[in-house]
Amino acid sequence: MARLFLGIDSSTQSITGSVIDLDSRALVFEQSVNFDEALPAYGTCNGVLVHEDQQVVHTPPAVWIEALEILLAELGEVVHIGSIQAVSGSGQQHGSVYLNETARPALAALDPSRSLVDQLGGIFSRATSPIWMDSSTHEECAEIREALGGLQQATAITGSNTFERFTGPQIRKFFKQEPEAYAKTTDIALVSSFICSVLCGEIAPIDHGDGAGMNLMDILRKTWHEAACEATAPGLADKLPPLVASDSICGKIHPYFTARYGFHPETKVAPFSGDNPSSVIGTGLVDPGMVAISLGTSDTYFGTMAELHLDPNGEGHVFGSPTGDYMTLICFKNGSLAREKVRDAYGLDWPGFSDMLKDTPPGNGGKLLLPWFAPEIVPTVLTPGVKRRELDPLDVPGNCRAVVEAQMMSMRLHSEWMGIRPGQIYATGGASSNQEILQVMANVHACPVYQFTSTNGASLGAALRAAQACLGDAGSAPAWRETVKGFTDPIEGSQVRPQSGAVAVYDDLVKAYAAFENENRT
Ligand code: ADP
Ligand code: XUL
């Protein structure tokens, strides 16, 4: 019988399921349910509720459980559900779900003759869940940061400075604004651990990957940090579930899912994690030192570290990696947005933009540009503005090269704190189809770059995590590299190598770029 493993990713706009056959190394199911389309009655727009205050971004958690049921019904039409040996999953990071005293008994007593949402509709002490797009907790971030001793201390303790979207500041805001509802909250879950709780029929633990996105976990000891909990809200430690390694097994699937969907009664459930930690596995970054760069709307740089290094500037994040190592996530806002601004300013299409990169030399003759079309996250730039050095705004090829070089040099500079120079980089996201951009990436980072198509890295990563945890539980955990083999290989023949001479050019230019950046940061 085939050994199947299911990964479920509950993200901002949709829930996705991926099923892998570990023996044939095949992805046998990959399907998504879009919240707005499948569940219009909740009135979500791109998965979230529109609020008069744009900084407030919530989703009703009932959406996630109703979508889960639709996904499982679709799964049953394609896959023999009884062959699934283990399930794991991931969720959009930082979002939180608030449960009342009826939650535990309701989860335990799920009745297969009724829908989930019918039975779980009353378990919430807060009707809507703040998600990662919520930025309304500026004040709470400052309060917690100060209580922990400032930016450096908050980063040293939790792996990240306090951030508006992180769960701790969000919990503090709830406690301050709705103290009675907070007092009636018996359990607080993350999006990830909430879906896992439903599948297990009991409150599920939080894994070290998603736990690190809360400003509540001691990043070194991987336990709840007492002072951080106290600085956030009274009695918080009692409302949080245990923290566990993400390759453990947290239980068996609840009989509800056996009766209703045909899961085998012995199906194991591994803790869910955040979508970014899961994507680390789904893109095959299982060895320390491996790095992926996603060139999407924003650009993100993430990678695995064997040892804990922290960003002294508090701009990047450190999470637990599902491999047991650490992972980083550094987010650059001016990614495709900035590339498109330059392309459009000169009336080019992407092939035309690429021609400009081909026609200009590595290093651009020293011409520099700071690509801050919008406020930047890394480095922190609150007042946007594009600055040029020795670069004429009318120099079309020079500006095209300058924006891409700036982005790549910024990534190199602002990932130095990780203490690793990548030996190879996996490039994903929309702009990774552009060979000339990847050539600049290879030259600046001085290593080969591979193209990688990963549309659903988080749910694939979750299915691989389910397999790893299940095999480990049976006493024979393979090396991670073995588990991901055949599922996460880069596109064949896609290697882009650094050009001779280019590496030395950037070793110098990156210093000039750093100085230019420092002169202009506001
Ligand atoms: P998201 O972060 O929204 O998932 P994607 O990873 O889908 O974004 O990337 C979308 C972006 O890819 C578009 O905004 C576009 O600028 C960029 N893109 C698509 N094709 C190219 C290309 N050939 N060269 C450079 N950029 C490209
Ligand atoms: C990471 C973050 C987002 C969400 C998206 O810190 O906020 O990537 O995880 O789902």
Side-chain angles (χ1 to χ4, degrees):
M1 197 174 67
R3 291 183 299 163
L4 304 185
F5 296 92
L6 167 62
I8 297 171
D9 175 46
S10 182
S11 76
T12 314
Q13 303 199 37
S14 58
I15 188 166
T16 301
S18 296
V19 176
I20 54 167
D21 179 334
L22 198 63
D23 300 304
S24 65
R25 301 273 141 182
L27 184 63
V28 296
F29 174 87
E30 190 174 55
Q31 232 157 280
S32 298
V33 177
N34 179 281
F35 303 143
D36 296 358
E37 286 165 18
L39 301 163
Y42 287 97
T44 54
C45 181
N46 298 324
V48 304
L49 298 174
V50 176
H51 195 280
E52 58 190 18
D53 178 350
Q54 285 187 3
Q55 294 192 323
V56 175
V57 184
H58 287 212
T59 298
V63 169
W64 301 324
I65 41 184
E66 214 168 325
L68 172 69
E69 288 215 275
I70 299 173
L71 179 72
L72 294 179
E74 289 180 1
L75 175 67
E77 287 170 17
V78 181
V79 167
H80 178 245
I81 291 190
S83 301
I84 294 174
Q85 303 208 340
V87 184
S88 188
S90 64
Q92 48 174 317
Q93 294 201 253
H94 319 297
S96 41
V97 183
Y98 300 76
L99 303 170
N100 62 32
E101 62 182 9
T102 69
R104 286 170 184 255
L107 287 169
L110 286 171
D111 168 4
S113 69
R114 295 165 62 202
S115 74
L116 283 178
V117 79
D118 196 24
Q119 302 175 73
L120 300 180
I123 67 172
F124 304 107
S125 59
R126 191 181 193 183
T128 60
S129 290
I131 66 149
W132 65 278
M133 294 165 83
D134 189 294
S135 56
S136 64
T137 61
H138 190 68
E139 200 176 287
E140 288 76 15
C141 284
E143 288 164 353
I144 297 171
R145 183 165 56 240
E146 198 174 314
L148 292 180
L151 181 152
Q152 303 270 347
Q153 272 299 95
T155 307
I157 291 169
T158 72
S160 298
N161 184 17
T162 51
F163 279 87
E164 279 76 1
R165 66 190 192 285
F166 276 42
T167 323
Q170 291 289 344
I171 294 173
R172 180 161 180 78
K173 181 182 164 201
F174 179 51
F175 154 69
K176 281 166 60 183
Q177 294 195 339
E178 299 179 55
E180 284 172 22
Y182 174 77
K184 286 194 179 132
T185 302
T186 51
D187 294 279
I188 298 178
L190 292 178
V191 178
S192 58
S193 72
F194 172 62
I195 307 289
C196 188
S197 303
V198 173
L199 289 174
C200 296
E202 61 188 18
I203 301 296
I206 287 177
D207 89 303
H208 300 147
D210 225 8
M214 300 173 78
N215 284 139
L216 292 172
M217 189 182 95
D218 182 327
I219 191 70
L220 197 59
R221 293 183 186 80
K222 297 182 176 163
T223 54
W224 296 122
H225 191 273
E226 211 177 314
C229 289
E230 276 165 18
T232 299
L236 176 57
D238 295 336
K239 301 179 199 289
L240 296 172
L243 285 161
V244 293
S246 77
D247 62 353
S248 52
I249 291 291
C250 58
K252 280 186 201 158
I253 202 152
H254 189 279
Y256 175 89
F257 298 94
T258 304
R260 206 165 157 104
Y261 297 103
F263 280 92
H264 192 282
E266 294 301 316
T267 309
K268 293 173 184 175
V269 180
F272 281 36
S273 187
D275 52 1
N276 294 299
S278 245
S279 292
V280 160
I281 302 300
T283 44
L285 302 185
V286 295
D287 300 314
M290 292 185 78
V291 164
I293 292 178
S294 168
L295 301 173
T297 305
S298 303
D299 290 345
T300 54
Y301 183 105
F302 59 104
T304 312
M305 297 185 289
E307 281 166 29
L308 179 63
H309 291 270
L310 296 163
D311 181 1
N313 297 316
E315 293 165 340
H317 308 304
V318 176
F319 302 139
S321 162
T323 57
D325 302 299
Y326 288 100
M327 64 165 285
T328 55
L329 181 75
I330 314 174
C331 186
F332 302 84
K333 193 167 187 181
N334 287 286
S336 281
L337 179 100
R339 292 184 287 274
E340 277 172 27
K341 287 264 186 207
V342 174
R343 182 197 69 170
D344 295 346
Y346 302 114
L348 299 167
D349 53 12
W350 285 126
F353 185 88
S354 300
D355 286 343
M356 299 297 143
L357 295 178
K358 269 189 234 160
D359 290 349
T360 41
N364 214 10
K367 300 169 195 167
L368 292 177
L369 175 149
L370 297 175
W372 300 328
F373 290 88
E376 182 50 74
I377 300 173
V378 180
T380 311
V381 175
L382 301 176
T383 315
V386 176
K387 307 268 168 18
R388 293 177 173 82
R389 196 197 77 171
E390 294 169 25
L391 175 62
D392 185 335
L394 299 176
D395 173 355
V396 181
N399 277 273
C400 291
R401 174 162 282 277
V403 68
V404 178
E405 289 191 342
Q407 293 171 323
M408 298 305 156
M409 287 194 286
S410 179
M411 283 187 197
R412 177 168 155 180
L413 273 173
H414 296 287
S415 60
E416 263 171 10
W417 59 268
M418 287 174 63
I420 47 166
R421 285 295 296 274
Q424 59 182 45
I425 294 173
Y426 286 175
T428 73
S432 67
S433 61
N434 189 314
Q435 287 290 316
E436 284 68 36
I437 292 179
L438 298 195
Q439 185 63 65
V440 179
M441 187 187 282
N443 288 347
V444 173
H445 290 277
C447 69
V449 171
Y450 296 84
Q451 265 176 297
F452 193 91
T453 24
S454 101
T455 41
N456 291 310
S459 57
L460 172 62
L464 291 162
R465 291 198 303 102
Q468 183 76 4
C470 185
L471 297 175
D473 193 52
S476 58
W480 269 106
R481 172 80 18 238
E482 281 302 305
T483 305
V484 303
K485 203 166 147 190
F487 290 110
T488 63
D489 300 327
I491 296 173
E492 226 179 287
S494 68
Q495 193 195 53
V496 180
R497 299 190 67 78
Q499 290 164 310
S500 73
V503 171
V505 170
Y506 290 110
D507 281 344
D508 285 337
L509 196 63
V510 86
K511 293 183 196 124
Y513 184 81
F516 188 42
E517 200 183 76
N518 281 333
E519 283 159 27
N520 287 282
R521 281 175 68 172
T522 45

